[in-house]
Amino acid sequence: MADSNLFYISLVLLPLILLFLLFLITRPRPIQIPIKKRHIFITGGSSGIGLALAHRAASEGARVSILSRSIDKLEEAKNAIRQSTGIDVAIFAADVRDFEAVQRAVDEAGPIDFLVVNQGIFVAQELEEQKLEEVRFIIDVNLMGSFNMIKAALPGMKRSRKDRGPGSIALMSSQAGQVGIYGYTAYSASKFGLRGLAEALQQEVIGDNIHVSLVFPPDTETPGLTEENKRKPQLTSIIAASSGAMKADEVAKKALDGIKSGSFTIPCNSEGILLAIATAGLSPQRSYLMAFVEVVAAGILRIAALCFQWNWYGSIEKWHVQKNRT
């Protein structure tokens, strides 16, 4: 009887002890970053997720600047935001691969409180078939373009923190930045790179009251997705179908809510939450409750991950068998 009582007491005490330990050690500490009457600068802001973020930020009272390559698309976006919110946004035409052009845009925009690095190029193709010029283009836009934006904005963001409160740098990754998928060799490489950038950058800027977020959307219903699907290998479509597409506005809401709460990892759907827990690794975690879930669920989710891999590799094997028969 005593042994059974001790067992039940342990079942209660051990989780409580673990929760208390995680409360003590999770870093950085929780924070709320207000957006009203503060300046948010969004790259890739003329369409898709970037435009949806601009709409949402403007409706919440932020001062919004958007950057994209096409001045015509920027004008269309500006008019659309004005019609829906009654607010004018600032627009800047620049290629994120051009540091000098990005620097001029940042200087003209003025002090930034929220930097959302959202630009992205995606072409799904097997590496053997994909031209190296296209690989370089994807990495230059998605990864080097992010370095250019942060490098241009960071000095001003640091200088203004004492007077303007906490700041945020958010990087738009992808679920293909959490797990490699057939046909995503170049794209996944560029998005996995953002994670290393974000983890190291958070350590560098936490002392300046700047908080880094990494957003992991699934396929999102944007003009870009329509173009992507025209070239997407059949196997890529089969494997990627396990995580359904979301609307841009749904992703924008999840992203902005996570950014305002200072979350480092921001998943956007149920599959994304499971991926975030399964790939938590050494990433920062502000929530001790979420850290508890990560610790407890790690082993179970590893089994689930292996089941996914079993399914994906099974699909690949079947596809090759069918291909060889034709």
Side-chain angles (χ1 to χ4, degrees):
M1 185 68 175
D3 289 343
S4 63
N5 287 339
L6 183 61
F7 172 74
Y8 288 119
I9 291 171
S10 299
L11 280 181
V12 174
L13 282 181
L14 288 177
L16 291 176
I17 292 170
L18 178 57
L19 276 169
F20 181 68
L21 174 64
L22 293 171
F23 173 77
L24 295 176
I25 66 174
T26 48
R27 290 295 187 278
R29 286 304 191 187
I31 191 170
Q32 291 295 320
I33 310 174
I35 193 170
K36 190 173 183 179
K37 296 183 179 179
R38 306 183 80 216
H39 184 200
I40 181 169
F41 191 105
I42 304 168
T43 69
S46 64
S47 64
I49 297 170
L51 179 56
L53 277 166
H55 273 277
R56 189 165 288 275
S59 69
E60 293 189 21
R63 179 167 76 88
V64 179
S65 297
I66 56 176
L67 178 143
S68 184
R69 285 181 296 174
S70 169
I71 189 63
D72 292 336
K73 289 184 178 180
L74 284 166
E75 291 287 358
E76 290 176 9
K78 180 177 181 177
N79 291 334
I81 295 169
R82 184 193 297 125
Q83 289 174 8
S84 67
T85 66
I87 295 171
D88 273 325
V89 302
I91 58 174
F92 301 93
D95 189 328
V96 294
R97 295 173 297 169
D98 184 342
F99 177 76
E100 286 72 23
V102 165
Q103 186 70 72
R104 287 193 297 270
V106 167
D107 292 343
E108 186 179 343
I112 295 170
D113 299 301
F114 291 79
L115 175 64
V116 182
V117 186
N118 170 73
Q119 82 284 342
I121 294 293
F122 170 66
V123 180
Q125 193 172 23
E126 296 91 341
L127 180 59
E128 185 179 7
E129 304 297 327
Q130 197 163 34
K131 294 181 179 179
L132 280 175
E133 290 80 3
E134 194 165 60
V135 173
R136 291 190 186 97
F137 179 56
I138 292 169
I139 292 174
D140 282 348
V141 172
N142 296 356
L143 185 56
M144 286 307 303
S146 300
F147 275 99
N148 286 340
M149 280 307 313
I150 296 167
K151 184 78 171 173
L154 191 55
M157 292 185 72
K158 283 187 172 185
R159 284 194 300 269
S160 60
R161 289 287 56 84
K162 289 183 180 179
D163 300 326
R164 300 173 68 91
S168 169
I169 297 173
L171 299 164
M172 192 63 63
S173 184
S174 163
Q175 287 183 356
Q178 295 172 290
V179 58
I181 298 292
Y182 184 101
Y184 284 22
T185 43
Y187 183 69
S188 282
S190 70
K191 293 299 186 177
F192 266 86
L194 291 180
R195 178 164 184 158
L197 165 59
E199 289 187 1
L201 182 66
Q202 180 61 97
Q203 294 182 14
E204 293 180 13
V205 300
I206 190 65
D208 299 289
N209 203 13
I210 297 173
H211 307 275
V212 178
S213 294
L214 197 56
V215 187
F216 293 104
D219 281 348
T220 305
E221 295 173 7
T222 65
L225 181 63
T226 303
E227 291 301 314
E228 293 163 14
N229 287 335
K230 292 178 181 178
R231 284 185 56 181
K232 188 178 287 185
Q234 184 183 5
L235 264 175
T236 304
S237 298
I238 292 170
I239 294 172
S242 60
S243 181
M246 292 180 68
K247 295 184 183 299
D249 189 59
E250 294 171 339
V251 173
K253 184 181 186 308
K254 293 283 188 182
L256 198 57
D257 287 347
I259 291 166
K260 290 187 294 182
S261 66
S263 300
F264 180 81
T265 301
I266 305 175
C268 296
N269 61 4
S270 56
E271 293 87 351
I273 293 170
L274 293 176
L275 276 171
I277 296 169
T279 61
L282 291 173
S283 293
Q285 178 54 265
R286 293 183 186 274
S287 168
Y288 71 94
L289 293 175
M290 195 64 206
F292 179 82
V293 173
E294 290 169 354
V295 171
V296 172
I300 296 171
L301 283 178
R302 179 55 180 159
I303 295 172
L306 290 171
C307 290
F308 272 107
Q309 293 288 345
W310 169 77
N311 180 51
W312 293 342
Y313 277 95
S315 297
I316 293 168
E317 289 169 7
K318 289 178 184 177
W319 187 84
H320 280 290
V321 168
Q322 292 173 355
K323 182 182 177 183
N324 291 333
R325 285 175 179 171
T326 58

